[in-house]
């Protein structure tokens, strides 16, 4: 199946019969690989029966084609079978001219192949050996020895070259050299990277390479099998020190096409049929697919994926290496001599072939051009580059002097290829050495021995991802945060941990030695933490070591020799490969099979590790289970009738896929919860639990990929690039038809409610269709994959993902129409468990929609809830409101008179932080007692409560006409409870800010905190701010809440200033802290301070001046803020400008303090004041940026 992927092929003398070389790979279940190298050539058919049968078959075929004029075949006998399948359209004239086989006139040939299987990819050596065998068969002179001698020699007497050495062994005519890298060099790779860069171009190759690193699904597509193999091996070679851990099938046989349905990462190669358009290729899933059309120099990339770090400098460095070897970085596919040389070759063949006189050249030449032999065209191109002209290339001619020159030139070209290979690989390896130079510091070695580590592997954290990422330069984070979640990185770290107890993995050993080298040169290079690009410095050494090995041969194998063969067998007949004597080749000399012994040792180590493979990697056990069939192609190859796989076998495979998807879902949801809750456990006391930023985003993106893969599994017919969105659209269509047929219900709460109907925040209806419409209205998203991801993010943020998907899947007729019986979504038990795992994500708050789609316009609804029992629920003045969030504010919006509810639209504000509310004090009822303000994002359903509990009006409370309210997210447990929570809260919760009530005329019942509690509160508030700044920037919560929230710094300082404050009402008028501050300013402005020395005096004067300036700026600001609001602004500005530690002693030493504070007050205790100053000084190092709404209009 892999030696002849198309099966037997028949040709006549009119067709191209050049020998073709291709290779393949078999990956076994344990991950070990075997390489195959195949030379396909054509032998004349001598059986009259076969020739007669072929003529009859052709006549029948032509008669059938003649009857259906529209369909036809192309001009080679090779396409006989494919034309029946595809019906390629050509004219009848061509049909009769080319698709005729006449036994009396034409010679019939059939394909035959010789294949060499090796444990390591010695491509160049195997190719030379096979070509020499073929020459021996077609040469006019018989070979010096029977072919069995050469085959026996390579099987049993040619050992593997030792690491770091070269070996010469003998083919039929010439010696062949192969070499192996040393223990500290990059592993063996014999596939020419030159071809990979010529075929793809540098930019495309780096993009595909990035997709492979991020473990996406990679599909290579080409007519030529060898191109598929070369590109696949080339790219996986560049991954060093990492290794591809998933399905790897560079040549996917036709009978295994159902593996493209596998909902797992894969790297597969698919042969394109001649003339087949990419658009006609139906692939099960494309949301996470990287499609590489090798022949057309074209790639299709997934929509969202991060770029490789320092991509531009990286490309520049590779370009320099390519240009030294004369290879254009943009690739060389269409101008790479192959096409033009091949055309010339075909033309000259036709001119010199006397049998072809009656065949018109042009159509055939074009056919040959498409069908051409890549290997020979490449040799032609190489010869041209070295200045040798070859009019006709035939392998059958005897070796002449001229050909010896060509041979030397070709060897020179081969050496250049080796050098280019190793230099390109060094550049790639150097990038990883720079990126992961410090990785060892973050490996967690938790287990005392291998046994306990393997047993607890799944529960153990083995790499400190958060610390590693926090240590990296900002530009690298998007890529690295994705990459460290991959299976290849997990396996790399596992190998590092296992190396404590076992022999180091060869890749790891080489990589670690390189890191050591960097450390020696750089002495803990400070540059490692910056994003400065460091070029590879080992290019010359690497090229020299290969050149030395090839020039100075270390070992020579035994020459081929005569074997003990039966007389009369092995008779030579030119052009025919003889039947070999199997008994001679069945056994070799004892104790000489070094390949076998090497494989056995490797196998033993692999088997030992495999006993515990279920523990290695987060989900390696699931790979083992359900990728068994895909990975062990070797086993499948030996099954005779793979092409007609029974439904039972396919069903069994798919049940493994289903099991695997479920396990992956469990792992991913568990990981998301652990990450999130881990951060919440150490959350500061600011009421919002979140880890925004990269790690969360990476996990959510991988959940989106998983859902796409689940929805792509077992599709009946593929529609669009996103299977999930396609399903949603069909569901929407059905539901909307039903809605139109029934009477469509009025949406809940679409109108503004008048205040007399009772003030509540109307319940937000839970609707899958409504959430889809929100996404469809987002003009920023252009593709189905993007819409599906936005919908997943929105549902996750609303804690409705599981509920929505359950509703979607409850439409069983639709599921049956879209999915085959074995699909994941039709396996009831697994589906229920899957929804249950997704339901667990409701335990935490995500802002994955709000924080990603920052430019969309969002409708908001605001409700102002007054305290009714004290009348004044309605004011005659003109109220206004301004809502602010992390991403911006709405500006001042007038509230319609007599309405306490309003809806408005504005660009996404992000998480809401503050609301400014006020009125213009006009009319008779100008005093307004507001309990709280509720604001809801109408798309995500997030509801924020802004407690107030204060009066707005002149001559009441602190005389404020506007207040800044700090928001807190209301947890939405269920719809009914949300409705309840939105109504006026019960009295003990209203107002929430007890600290303010203690100084208002509303109540005096609140117990005042004692001195110890107040000092503790200050410490806690400052500590929370310090912790805030020690978090990664993208994971910090709201600083506004830490300053002005319920347990914030302002509240804590208020308590300090209230302690022992003589605030008894003087002549029925409240006294506020601000009154004390204003009196202090008046005192500072009129009196001269007396200091111990001049320096202290200057410092004190400067502090007084600044303090007075700030207080006066706040008093003269064009805002109607009350006294408590002014104190809040003063504390915020003092914190921002690091002035509080200077102001506190001024106020504590001001003579007024004795009049306004009792003797036991904290501000009159020198020790307490000093300790307060020390605590506040810890904030000096931080750059505090205040939200605009807090200090609007205050000019200092």
């Amino acid at each position: 199946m892999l030696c002849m992927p198309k099966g037997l092929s028949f040709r006549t003398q009119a067709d191209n019969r050049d020998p073709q070389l291709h290779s393949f790979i078999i990956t076994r279940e344990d991950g070990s690989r075997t390489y195959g190298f195949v030379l396909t050539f054509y032998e004349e058919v001598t059986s009259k029966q076969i020739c007669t049968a072929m003529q009859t078959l052709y006549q029948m075929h032509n008669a059938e084609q003649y009857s259906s004029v529209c369909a036809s075949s192309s001009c080679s006998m090779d396409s006989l079978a494919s034309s029946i399948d595809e019906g390629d359209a050509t004219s009848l004239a061509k049909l009769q001219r080319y698709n005729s086989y006449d036994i009396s006139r034409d010679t019939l040939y059939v394909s035959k192949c010789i294949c060499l299987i090796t444990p390591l990819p010695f491509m160049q050596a195997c190719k030379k050996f096979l070509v020499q065998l073929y020459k021996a068969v077609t040469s006019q002179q018989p070979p010096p020895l029977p072919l069995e001698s050469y085959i026996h020699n390579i099987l049993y007497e040619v050992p593997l070259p030792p690491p770091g050495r070269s070996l010469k062994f003998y083919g039929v005519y010439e010696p062949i050299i192969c070499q192996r890298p040393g223990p500290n060099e990059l592993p063996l790779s014999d596939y020419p990277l030159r071809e990979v860069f010529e075929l793809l171009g540098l930019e495309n190759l780096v993009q595909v390479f990035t997709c492979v690193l991020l473990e996406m699904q990679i599909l290579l597509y080409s007519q030529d099998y060898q191109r598929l193999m070369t590109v696949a091996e080339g790219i996986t070679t560049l991954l060093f020190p990492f290794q591809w851990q998933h399905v790897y099938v560079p040549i996917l046989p036709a009978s295994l096409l159902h593996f493209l349905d596998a909902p797992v990462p894969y790297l597969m190669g698919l042969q394109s049929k001649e003339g087949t358009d990419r658009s006609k290729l139906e692939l099960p899933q494309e949301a996470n697919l990287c499609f590489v059309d090798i022949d057309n120099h074209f790639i299709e990339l997934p929509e969202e994926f991060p770029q490789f770090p320092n991509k531009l400098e990286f490309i520049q460095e590779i370009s320099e290496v390519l240009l030294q070897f004369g290879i254009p970085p943009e690739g060389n596919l269409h101008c790479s001599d192959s096409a033009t040389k091949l055309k010339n070759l075909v033309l000259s063949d036709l001119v010199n072939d006397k049998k072809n006189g009656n065949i018109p050249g042009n159509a055939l030449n074009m056919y040959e051009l498409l069908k051409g032999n890549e290997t020979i065209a490449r040799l032609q191109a190489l010869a041209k580059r070295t200045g040798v002209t070859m009019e006709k290339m035939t392998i059958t001619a005897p070796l002449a002097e001229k050909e010896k020159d060509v041979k030397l030139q070709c060897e020179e070209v081969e050496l250049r290829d080796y050098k280019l290979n190793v230099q390109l690989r060094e550049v790639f390896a150097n990038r990883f050495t720079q990126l992961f130079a410090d990785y060892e510091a973050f490996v967690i070695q938790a287990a005392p021995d291998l046994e306990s580590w393997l047993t607890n592997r799944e529960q153990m954290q083995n790499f400190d991802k958060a610390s590693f990422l926090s240590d990296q330069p900002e530009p690298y984070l998007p890529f690295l945060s994705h990459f460290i979640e991959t299976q290849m990185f997990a396996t790399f770290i596992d190998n590092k941990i296992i190396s404590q107890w076992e022999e180091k993995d060869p890749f790891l050993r080489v990589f670690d030695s390189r890191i050591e080298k960097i450390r020696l040169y750089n002495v803990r290079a400070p540059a490692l933490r910056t994003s400065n690009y460091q070029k590879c410095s080992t290019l010359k050494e690497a090229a020299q070591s290969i050149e030395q090995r090839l020039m100075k041969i270390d070992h020579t194998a035994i020459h081929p020799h005569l074997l003990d063969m039966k007389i009369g067998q092995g008779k030579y007949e030119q052009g025919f490969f003889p039947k070999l004597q199997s008994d001679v080749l069945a056994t070799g000399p004892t104790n000489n099979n070094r390949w076998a012994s090497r494989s056995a040792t490797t196998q033993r180590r692999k088997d030992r590790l495999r006993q515990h493979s279920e523990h290695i990697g987060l989900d390696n056990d699931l790979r083992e289970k359900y990728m068994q069939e895909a990975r062990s192609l070797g086993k499948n190859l030996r099954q005779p009738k793979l092409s007609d796989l029974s439904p039972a076998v396919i069903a069994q495979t798919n049940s493994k896929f289903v099991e695997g998807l479920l396990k992956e879902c469990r792992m991913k949801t568990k990981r998301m919860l652990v990450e999130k809750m881990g951060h919440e456990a150490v959350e500061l006391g600011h009421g919002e639990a979140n880890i925004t930023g990269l790690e969360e985003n990476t996990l959510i993106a991988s959940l989106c990929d998983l859902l796409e893969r689940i929805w792509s599994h077992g599709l009946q017919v593929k529609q669009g690039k996103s299977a999930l969105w396609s399903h949603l659209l069909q569901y929407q269509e059905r539901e909307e038809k039903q809605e139109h047929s029934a009477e469509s219900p009025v949406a809940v709460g679409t109108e503004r409610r008048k205040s007399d109907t009772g003030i509540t925040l109307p319940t937000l209806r839970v609707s899958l269709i409504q959430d889809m419409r929100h996404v469809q209205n987002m003009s920023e998203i252009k593709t189905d994959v993007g819409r599906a991801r936005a919908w997943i993010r929105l549902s996750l943020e609303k804690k409705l993902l599981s509920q929505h998907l359950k509703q979607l899947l409850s439409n069983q007729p639709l599921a049956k129409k879209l999915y085959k019986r074995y699909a994941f979504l039709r396996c009831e038990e697994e589906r229920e468990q899957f929804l249950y795992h997704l339901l667990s994500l409701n335990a935490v708050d995500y802002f994955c929609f709000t924080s990603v789609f920052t430019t969309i316009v969002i409708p908001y609804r605001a409700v102002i809830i007054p305290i009714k029992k004290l009348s004044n629920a309605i004011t005659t003045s003109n109220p206004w409101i301004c809502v602010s969030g992390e991403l911006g504010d709405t500006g001042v919006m007038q509230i319609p008179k007599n309405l306490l509810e309003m809806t408005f639209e504005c660009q996404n504000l992000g998480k809401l932080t503050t609301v400014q509310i006020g009125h213009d004090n006009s009319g008779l009822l100008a005093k307004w007692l507001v309990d709280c303000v509720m604001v809801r994002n109408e798309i995500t359903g997030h509801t924020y409560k802004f407690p107030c509990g204060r009066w707005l009006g002149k001559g009441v409370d602190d005389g404020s006409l506007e207040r800044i309210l700090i928001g807190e997210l209301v947890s939405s447990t269920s719809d009914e409870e949300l409705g309840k929570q939105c109504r006026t809260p019960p009295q003990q919760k209203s107002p929430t800010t007890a600290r303010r009530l203690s100084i208002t005329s509303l109540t005096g019942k609140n117990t005042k905190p004692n001195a110890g509690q107040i000092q503790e509160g200050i410490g806690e508030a400052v500590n929370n701010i310090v912790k805030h700044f020690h978090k990664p920037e993208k994971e910090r919560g709201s600083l506004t809440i830490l300053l002005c929230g319920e347990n914030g710094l302002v509240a804590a300082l208020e308590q300090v200033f209230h302690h022992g404050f003589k605030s008894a009402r003087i002549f029925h008028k409240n006294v506020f802290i601000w009154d004390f501050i204003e009196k202090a300013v008046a005192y500072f402005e009129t009196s001269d301070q007396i200091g111990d020395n001049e320096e202290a005096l200057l410092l004190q004067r400067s502090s007084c001046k600044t303090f007075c300036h700030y207080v006066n700026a706040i008093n003269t600001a064009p805002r109607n803020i009350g006294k408590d609001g002014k104190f809040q602004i003063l504390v915020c500005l003092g914190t921002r400008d690091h002035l509080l530690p200077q102001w506190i002693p001024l106020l504590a030493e001001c003579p007024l303090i004795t009049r306004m504070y009792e003797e036991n007050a904290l501000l009159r205790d020198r020790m307490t004041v000093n300790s307060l100053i020390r605590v506040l000084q810890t904030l000096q190092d931080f750059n505090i940026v205040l939200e605009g709404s807090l200090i609007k209009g205050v000019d200092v």
Side-chain angles (χ1 to χ4, degrees), residues 385-571:
R385 274 211 285 275
T386 51
V388 177
T389 53
M390 299 169 69
E391 290 178 13
K392 185 181 176 189
M393 185 180 242
T394 53
I395 294 178
T396 54
L399 281 171
E401 284 304 312
K402 199 176 195 179
E403 286 184 324
K404 280 186 184 164
D405 295 343
V406 173
K407 185 173 118 355
L408 289 169
Q409 305 268 6
C410 276
E411 278 175 6
E412 211 175 291
V413 168
E414 202 176 294
L415 177 62
R416 280 171 63 81
D417 269 0
Y418 273 124
K419 284 179 170 180
L420 175 64
N421 257 25
V422 77
Q423 291 197 3
L424 287 170
R425 292 174 66 207
E426 286 288 346
V427 172
F428 278 79
N430 177 58
R431 283 315 301 132
F432 288 121
T433 316
Q434 302 292 347
L435 283 173
F436 294 99
D438 277 353
Y439 86 96
E440 272 184 84
F442 304 98
V443 175
I444 301 167
Q445 310 269 17
D449 56 67
L450 179 60
E451 203 56 45
S452 62
W453 182 79
L454 290 168
T455 312
N456 303 306
R457 171 65 194 90
E458 204 169 293
Q459 286 76 43
M460 285 173 123
Q461 185 91 359
N462 63 5
F463 190 72
D464 186 353
K465 293 175 181 175
S467 303
F468 174 75
L469 289 175
S470 67
D471 215 26
Q472 304 308 312
E474 183 78 20
Y476 294 2
L477 294 178
F479 172 81
L480 287 176
S481 62
H482 277 72
F483 180 67
I484 62 174
E485 295 295 332
T486 59
Q487 188 63 39
M488 71 174 82
F489 185 76
T491 306
F492 174 75
I493 297 299
D494 285 346
N495 286 341
K496 179 67 183 172
I497 292 171
I498 291 171
S499 69
Q500 296 174 89
W501 305 292
E502 298 214 344
E503 188 192 342
K504 254 191 192 180
D505 173 77
F507 279 48
L508 183 68
R509 191 188 62 245
V510 176
F511 188 66
D512 282 354
S513 70
R514 285 166 176 245
I515 288 176
E516 278 305 312
K517 208 170 174 182
I518 281 192
R519 292 219 178 107
L520 284 173
Y521 287 135
N522 295 346
V523 198
R524 174 66 196 94
L528 293 179
R529 284 169 189 258
T530 75
S531 52
N532 292 344
Y533 189 83
Q534 290 176 306
K535 283 189 172 182
C536 180
S537 56
T538 55
L539 297 183
K540 207 172 270 183
E541 298 165 35
Q544 279 170 355
S545 56
I546 278 216
E547 191 168 2
Q548 281 165 8
R549 275 200 295 276
L550 290 174
M551 293 304 175
K552 178 183 162 289
I553 305 302
D554 299 303
H555 303 280
T556 305
I558 300 169
H559 282 254
H561 50 84
L562 270 174
L563 300 171
D564 185 13
M565 289 171 65
K566 293 172 190 169
I567 297 167
Q569 289 202 354
K571 194 173 69 176

Side-chain angles (χ1 to χ4, degrees), residues 10 48 93 145 212 227 275 340 359 404 429 470 475 501 600 611 626 640 669 781 847 914 1001 1009 1083 1106 1196:
F10 287 92
K48 286 277 179 259
L145 294 169
V212 173
R227 282 182 174 183
T340 47
I359 292 187
K404 280 186 184 164
S470 67
W501 305 292
Q611 291 168 5
Y626 69 90
T669 49
I781 303 175
F847 289 88
T914 61
S1001 58
Y1083 168 78
T1106 328
V1196 292

Side-chain angles (χ1 to χ4, degrees), residues 714-728:
L715 268 177
Q716 297 272 22
V717 181
K718 183 176 165 290
Q719 296 176 335
K721 284 202 169 184
S722 166
L724 173 58
W725 190 250
S726 166
H727 192 168
L728 283 165

Side-chain angles (χ1 to χ4, degrees), residues 668-688:
K668 280 205 161 72
T669 49
K670 179 180 169 186
R671 176 77 207 283
M672 286 170 76
L673 282 170
V674 168
E675 277 301 325
K676 193 79 169 164
M677 288 177 157
H679 281 72
E680 288 180 9
V682 295
E683 249 320 299
L684 314 176
H686 47 103
E688 42 166 4

